[in-house]
Amino acid sequence: MQNFDVVVIGGGPIGIACGLEAQKKGLSYVILEKGPIVNSLFNYPVNMQFFSSSEKLEIDGIPFISKEAKPKRDEALEYYRRIVTSNNLNIHLFEKVESVTQEKKGFKVTSSKTSYTTDNLIVATGFYDLPNTINVPGEDLPKVSHYYNDPHFYASQKLAVIGASNSAIDAALECYRKGAEVTLIIRGPEVGQRVKYWVRPDIINRIKEGSINAHFNAEVKEIKERELTINTPEGELALENDFVLALTGYKPNFAFLTQLGVQLSDDEKRLPQYNPDTMETNVKGLYLAGVICGGMETHKWFIENSRIHAKMIIEDILTHSNP
């Protein structure tokens, strides 16, 4: 069993930032990532473009140079990969954390490969692993996915896209331009206000001209092999359908946080309890970093405003170890 001053769960941009900061301050550390480097970004759509500009995605002051002001997914993958390799970070890839137990002092972290002990645990796992389900009959059919990758897959198919956020709108536009017959199903009265400002006019115009069908104030009632039943203000409709992209957002692993002893708010936001000055939770030695801090408010924390968590956490750890 190996012992480290710090164990970081999650090898995304903020987990990497925590590892960099620990390394600079002379702390022993390991980053545990269940997939490849920046696993969540790797699983983003192949053509995704960030809302933030490249300098906002930088960590530790390391310049991020991109072709356009707002970088693409492949550029981000290259940037964070180079940071890991150039700094020889101690990151264990494809090593999933299976359990964490509190010891008399610190924590025991058991992974799919081995176990570790540490006085300080940083959870930087994000929220992209658990989709918000729509809980209707047929949601478990093979034709339904909560993740979108490549528009080519849907060419010449009848595709229903559920959602009104960036992921849903990007998918609808890209698939339409690759020859899919796209129908948007939106629970509210309009396209989401947080949709990227250069994309929102595009989708609105495609809907107006009839290139993309859209049903507002609508909800899916049932998904079948060859059709989709939705409830609309005009009544129930049955749509011919080949595939469904249910892009209704994602949520943190609250069960994992609860198992760790982190207290969550009782309201629908499920906000975890932590000290905003140190990022330490109600559990001594347990810290949160990145978007997981926002609970269900997944639009609250991004790389650009949570990258500071790394310095805050490591400074607090050093304060405790050097009183």
Side-chain angles (χ1 to χ4, degrees):
M1 188 180 298
Q2 303 175 67
N3 181 72
F4 292 95
D5 295 323
V6 182
V7 170
V8 182
I9 303 177
I14 306 305
I16 290 171
C18 290
L20 277 171
E21 194 64 22
Q23 184 169 279
K24 287 196 305 181
K25 299 299 184 181
L27 296 173
S28 63
Y29 72 94
V30 63
I31 304 169
L32 303 178
E33 170 54 63
K34 71 176 183 180
I37 297 169
V38 291
N39 180 63
S40 292
L41 300 191
F42 175 76
N43 286 299
Y44 281 178
V46 292
N47 299 320
M48 196 210 77
Q49 185 172 27
F50 285 85
F51 188 91
S52 301
S53 56
S54 55
E55 69 268 17
K56 297 291 187 180
L57 301 177
E58 293 174 356
I59 55 176
D60 199 43
I62 300 170
F64 183 176
I65 309 301
S66 58
K67 293 180 181 178
E68 301 177 50
K70 300 177 186 300
K72 301 286 183 66
R73 165 189 170 274
D74 60 340
E75 293 175 307
L77 293 180
E78 181 68 9
Y79 172 71
Y80 294 115
R81 182 186 67 80
R82 289 296 301 273
I83 287 177
V84 168
T85 56
S86 298
N87 290 279
N88 197 28
L89 290 185
N90 187 24
I91 181 169
H92 294 189
L93 303 173
F94 300 97
E95 185 169 342
K96 184 178 181 180
V97 171
E98 296 182 337
S99 67
V100 177
T101 56
Q102 292 188 50
E103 306 287 281
K104 289 184 178 180
K105 183 182 179 184
F107 308 88
K108 177 183 177 182
V109 180
T110 302
S111 76
S112 55
K113 297 182 179 180
T114 187
S115 296
Y116 309 88
T117 56
T118 183
D119 289 341
N120 304 285
L121 182 67
I122 302 174
V123 179
T125 51
F127 62 86
Y128 197 58
D129 290 335
L130 297 175
N132 292 321
T133 55
I134 56 176
N135 300 315
V136 300
E139 188 173 5
D140 58 349
L141 288 172
K143 65 184 274 187
V144 181
S145 177
H146 293 280
Y147 295 92
Y148 163 68
N149 185 25
D150 193 319
H152 175 83
F153 183 83
Y154 301 101
S156 301
Q157 299 296 291
K158 292 179 172 59
L159 172 67
V161 180
I162 306 170
S165 63
N166 278 297
S167 57
I169 301 308
D170 283 346
L173 286 168
E174 288 185 7
C175 292
Y176 150 68
R177 292 195 165 104
K178 294 299 182 181
E181 184 180 320
V182 178
T183 298
L184 263 173
I185 301 167
I186 296 177
R187 186 171 57 181
E190 62 178 357
V191 172
Q193 289 291 334
R194 294 194 184 94
V195 170
K196 289 171 282 197
Y197 63 83
W198 65 94
V199 173
R200 197 168 188 272
D202 188 3
I203 188 66
I204 290 173
N205 287 330
R206 302 294 74 73
I207 293 170
K208 284 182 178 179
E209 71 186 16
S211 298
I212 292 177
N213 300 314
H215 295 279
F216 296 99
N217 299 306
E219 292 187 354
V220 175
K221 180 181 179 181
E222 184 178 5
I223 301 170
K224 298 179 181 179
E225 288 287 352
R226 301 298 301 168
E227 69 177 25
L228 189 70
T229 305
I230 64 173
N231 290 322
T232 74
E234 292 77 35
E236 186 177 295
L237 293 178
L239 309 174
E240 289 186 27
N241 174 258
D242 297 308
F243 290 98
V244 176
L245 284 172
L247 303 179
T248 50
Y250 309 91
K251 58 188 175 185
N253 191 336
F254 294 118
F256 181 58
L257 291 180
T258 301
Q259 290 169 9
L260 293 174
V262 177
Q263 294 180 2
L264 305 175
S265 64
D266 294 330
D267 58 16
E268 61 183 16
K269 295 180 180 180
R270 306 297 305 282
L271 296 172
Q273 184 179 117
Y274 63 89
N275 183 333
D277 296 322
T278 66
M279 307 311 295
E280 187 176 29
T281 68
N282 57 283
V283 179
K284 181 176 174 57
L286 174 59
Y287 298 84
L288 301 182
V291 297
I292 196 171
C293 300
M296 287 300 294
E297 293 185 314
T298 53
H299 60 277
K300 183 176 181 180
W301 292 103
F302 304 94
I303 297 171
E304 62 188 72
N305 65 352
S306 63
R307 55 189 176 178
I308 62 171
H309 292 169
K311 292 182 182 295
M312 296 165 63
I313 292 170
I314 299 304
E315 285 178 6
D316 191 63
I317 289 173
L318 290 171
T319 299
H320 288 168
S321 60
N322 300 294

